[in-house]
Amino acid sequence: MNECKIFSKEEINKILGQEPVSGKHQLEPLKSLFSSKQIPFGIIEDMKVEGGESEAHLCDGDLWLVLEGEPVFEYGGELIDKWVREGSNGNELGGKGIRGGKKTKLKAGDWFWIPPGQPHVHYADFARMVIIKIHTA
């Protein structure tokens, strides 16, 4: 049964108070709730990430809110050497890059909407962002 959940400012501050670590990952405890689809959002941390895997979600849009840092997003164009992600029922594509896309650097407070089907990738020396998955199909 789905239940309502309040995330207090104190809880979010505790999550953001975690020491940053290298790589791209979601922060707990939101990661577990997001992965199990109990909530449609998570907080992603990127630190010293370059050239991550490009992707496109055919049924979900991504709404990003930058909390900290200045991530660079590359979007649009087409996936290079694309493949269907295992276990995605054909709704998630991965790629080795993006051909013909655009790049933009975001900063804290910026929102960025990526509609379903739009190839995208992001990287940063350091960034923390909220991602909200919006199912549209």
Side-chain angles (χ1 to χ4, degrees):
M1 172 183 222
N2 289 336
E3 295 190 21
C4 296
K5 172 73 174 134
I6 295 172
F7 296 93
S8 69
K9 180 179 180 183
E10 291 78 18
E11 287 176 287
I12 298 299
N13 285 343
K14 185 176 178 183
I15 292 168
L16 294 176
Q18 297 176 42
E19 191 66 30
V21 296
S22 290
K24 176 181 172 181
H25 54 274
Q26 292 196 42
L27 300 179
E28 287 289 7
L30 297 179
K31 176 184 176 181
S32 296
L33 296 170
F34 182 80
S35 296
S36 63
K37 300 188 188 236
Q38 294 178 52
I39 59 173
F41 69 94
I43 295 178
I44 291 184
E45 179 178 83
D46 280 2
M47 186 166 168
K48 298 179 183 171
V49 173
E50 293 183 27
E53 181 181 299
S54 53
E55 60 186 5
H57 319 288
L58 303 182
C59 296
D60 294 332
D62 288 349
L63 181 59
W64 294 88
L65 167 61
V66 179
L67 300 172
E68 299 177 66
E70 294 186 341
V72 174
F73 277 79
E74 185 173 1
Y75 61 96
E78 63 180 292
L79 292 172
I80 298 171
D81 297 332
K82 70 180 171 185
W83 65 85
V84 176
R85 287 197 173 143
E86 188 175 325
S88 74
N89 295 324
N91 293 320
E92 298 276 333
L93 305 175
K96 293 183 178 177
I98 295 175
R99 183 180 300 112
K102 298 177 185 176
K103 288 185 181 181
T104 188
K105 181 185 265 189
L106 303 176
K107 61 185 181 316
D110 288 346
W111 289 84
F112 186 49
W113 167 246
I114 302 172
Q118 189 77 248
H120 59 281
V121 64
H122 61 88
Y123 44 91
D125 289 332
F126 172 76
R128 284 185 170 163
M129 301 171 283
V130 171
I131 179 174
I132 301 169
K133 288 283 192 184
I134 300 173
H135 191 70
T136 60

